[in-house]
Amino acid sequence: MKIALSLLLLTVLASDSTAQSLSSTDKKITASVDAALPATLELLKESVNINSGTFNLEGVKQTGALYAKALSALGFTIEWIPEPDSLRRAGHLVAYRTGN
């Protein structure tokens, strides 16, 4: 969700009247953010409509699967780290990329 909110904020800031003075790199970034905005908002909408309160383990896992799919499409390696049943928690989504 932080990604979606960050992209939304960047879009709002980039659409300001100062956009005329952006560098070519900034304009490319702005165009990319603008192009991704509909999908970003849809991901945000889908995620907030999942009942994923702390004790709703299935909802937390469903939210994790949603973001795992989105992050995987961006080239991240996804890992779900389960918690012991005794903790009554769903687990943690870990996404990482290795570089050179």
Side-chain angles (χ1 to χ4, degrees), residues 14-73:
S15 66
D16 188 49
S17 62
T18 60
Q20 298 293 332
S21 63
L22 295 176
S23 71
S24 63
T25 300
D26 291 337
K27 288 178 183 178
K28 288 178 186 176
I29 293 169
T30 300
S32 177
V33 170
D34 286 343
L37 186 59
T40 300
L41 292 175
E42 186 58 35
L43 178 65
L44 179 61
K45 178 181 174 183
E46 194 172 345
S47 66
V48 299
N49 284 325
I50 297 171
N51 179 359
S52 59
T54 301
F55 296 111
N56 184 348
L57 306 186
E58 288 309 311
V60 172
K61 290 177 184 177
Q62 186 180 357
T63 302
L66 176 68
Y67 280 97
K69 181 180 174 184
L71 290 165
S72 182

